[in-house]
Amino acid sequence: MAHDIVFFLARDDETAAATRLRGPSEAFESVTCRFVEPDSAIAEWDMYFEKPSAEAPPIEQLLGWAWPEWVTAPLNDGVEVFALPKRLTRALAKASSGELEELAGRWTARLWSEDGDDMTDDDLLTVLQGVARLAVSAVNTGGGLYSWSF
């Protein structure tokens, strides 16, 4: 499980890839959370906007979904940089507060069923709201939305 996750804005994949060794600096607009898997979160969010439902999908369905692409190839140090799909970025940018609340509830339920007491103590709705604000900026500036994790 990733310990530190930073969702951040970058001009392009090359700029995002340059964050690999040290993480996004304060020069990047970002949202931080802890103890979630960014790739499964991104896949779940994407699935939600393509197939809205308040219920968490069966794990087999989630595992069969298109997962985010690496911006840099993973090495043995555990650092990962993913690009959020453009369609997800646009969906997050347009999401209503009700959609974000429903998605946060669904995401929380899935994480609780998988991790129980070891689940993150971050407020997942606040994380989603922050990522949605980043998505608005990405859409408005033509940049991209990425995640960095360790």
Side-chain angles (χ1 to χ4, degrees):
M1 174 174 295
H3 292 279
D4 294 310
I5 302 93
V6 181
F7 293 97
F8 66 100
L9 292 176
R11 182 176 58 249
D12 52 34
D13 287 358
E14 185 178 328
T15 305
T19 69
R20 189 195 174 297
L21 293 177
R22 296 203 169 122
S25 67
E26 290 153 10
F28 293 89
E29 194 175 345
S30 64
V31 172
T32 303
C33 61
R34 296 178 50 83
F35 302 116
V36 297
E37 291 295 338
D39 52 352
S40 64
I42 294 165
E44 183 166 356
W45 301 347
D46 189 43
M47 178 182 278
Y48 172 82
F49 288 109
E50 289 296 308
K51 298 180 178 188
S53 169
E55 299 300 316
I59 192 68
E60 301 79 26
Q61 187 178 8
L62 181 62
L63 292 175
W65 196 254
W67 286 53
E69 294 185 19
W70 280 295
V71 174
T72 60
L75 301 174
N76 290 334
D77 60 4
V79 174
E80 296 178 312
V81 180
F82 292 107
L84 276 70
K86 295 288 185 196
R87 73 177 183 198
L88 174 57
T89 301
R90 288 188 302 269
L92 284 164
K94 294 188 301 185
S96 69
S97 59
E99 287 173 315
L100 294 175
E101 289 171 13
E102 184 174 80
L103 176 54
R106 168 180 149 158
W107 186 28
T108 300
R110 184 182 62 78
L111 290 177
W112 179 255
S113 73
E114 290 177 4
D115 301 335
D117 290 338
D118 291 331
M119 189 178 114
T120 181
D121 58 0
D122 284 317
D123 180 336
L124 298 181
L125 176 57
T126 300
V127 170
L128 273 170
Q129 290 167 334
V131 173
R133 281 190 297 279
L134 293 176
V136 169
S137 292
V139 168
N140 289 339
T141 64
L145 191 51
Y146 300 87
S147 75
W148 176 93
S149 60
F150 175 71

